[in-house]
Amino acid sequence: MTRLLEGKSALVTGAGSGIGRATAIAMAREGARVTVADLAGPGAGDTVAAIRAAGGEAQAVVADVTRPHQVAAMVDAAVAAYGRLDCAHNNAGVAAGTLGAGGQRVGDIDQEVWDRMIAVNLTGVWLCMKHELAAMERTGGGAIVNTASIAGLVGLPGTHAYVAAKHGVVGLTKAAAIDHAEAGIRVNAICPGYIETPMIGDSMARRGERILARAAMRRLGQPEEIAEAVVWLCSDRSGFITGTTVTADGGYMAS
């Protein structure tokens, strides 16, 4: 059976750990040649090593998604290595807890925290798409999946700028899908619930019991479960799906 992404060139940001690493590994397993991008070079290198150990093809790129020149160079590196860009997962993100602002109310957060959260979680997605879309248009199309969140669908306590940014990612995804459909590019968003990565440590410490009690499956998700959805959205098997959000949350939003 032909693998889902056989021969495609893929790019994953925030691929040094968590959902990004799981997605990069899953894409390579399905036949993609993967550009593994992360702000942390060692993490990206570890992901590439895992892919190569399994017989896949990948390269590591260090990039800050808030820096336009670094984003442009990242996409250029993917095209230079593999001849084109067919699919991308814009996954790099930062949580409020990572910046020491988890649990604060909207009226209590510092502007420095707000600016950083918006820069990484929303502007970074736009910058990546700006260059990815141009590369895909040159070769006849492609597929992009942006990591949003259930925080892009509802308000959550103590997550302020993260909620605002992820709502923005959902809207930006819809707009990009409409604008670039004629160019043969599909753009969708994945909305994970609470996934077992270091990023949710603060939320789980503050209200872990309530989070698990609300999720119908009564557990955290695994990065690999999100990765499988992203791979499918990047594959031709989801060829009529664009401008939508796929929620993978163990039933959290159903209750």
Side-chain angles (χ1 to χ4, degrees):
M1 180 180 292
T2 301
R3 294 180 293 181
L4 289 179
L5 302 180
E6 192 70 54
K8 293 185 182 294
S9 169
L11 167 65
V12 183
T13 68
S17 63
I19 292 171
R21 172 174 287 177
T23 299
I25 291 172
M27 285 178 160
R29 182 201 69 215
E30 292 297 332
R33 298 164 294 171
V34 186
T35 296
V36 174
D38 201 280
L39 182 62
D46 289 346
T47 301
V48 168
I51 289 172
R52 290 176 177 171
E57 187 174 352
Q59 66 169 345
V61 174
V62 177
D64 181 342
V65 298
T66 70
R67 305 284 183 171
H69 295 300
Q70 292 188 31
V71 173
M74 173 186 74
V75 175
D76 287 346
V79 174
Y82 303 126
R84 55 188 293 133
L85 182 64
D86 299 298
C87 46
H89 181 203
N90 297 318
N91 171 73
V94 62
T98 307
L99 302 179
Q104 292 182 335
R105 300 178 305 169
V106 169
D108 298 329
I109 62 174
D110 293 332
Q111 185 171 348
E112 182 179 356
V113 171
W114 171 271
D115 289 344
R116 180 62 179 165
M117 295 280 287
I118 297 299
V120 176
N121 295 324
L122 180 55
T123 305
V125 171
W126 168 74
L127 275 173
C128 289
M129 281 207 296
K130 178 179 176 65
H131 294 281
E132 293 158 357
L133 288 163
M136 290 175 179
E137 285 188 342
R138 290 194 295 268
T139 52
I144 294 173
V145 179
N146 298 320
T147 296
S149 167
I150 56 171
L153 305 173
V154 295
L156 296 174
T159 54
H160 37 77
Y162 189 81
V163 167
K166 294 302 186 178
H167 272 72
V169 169
V170 170
L172 181 63
T173 295
K174 294 176 180 179
I178 294 168
D179 286 348
H180 296 274
E182 290 187 2
I185 301 171
R186 297 184 297 107
V187 188
N188 293 292
I190 184 78
C191 290
Y194 290 90
I195 308 302
E196 194 169 0
T197 69
M199 195 170 181
I200 67 161
D202 176 74
S203 293
M204 291 303 294
R206 288 188 291 107
R207 52 193 184 90
E209 289 186 8
R210 282 178 288 166
I211 289 170
L212 293 178
R214 175 166 173 174
M217 296 179 73
R218 300 293 190 269
R219 67 172 177 87
L220 298 176
Q222 296 301 309
E224 293 77 12
E225 293 175 302
I226 306 305
E228 295 299 328
V230 174
V231 167
W232 181 75
L233 286 170
C234 285
S235 77
D236 294 339
R237 293 189 186 179
S238 60
F240 198 52
I241 298 177
T242 195
T244 194
T245 58
V246 173
T247 304
D249 66 350
Y252 186 94
M253 294 292 293
S255 62

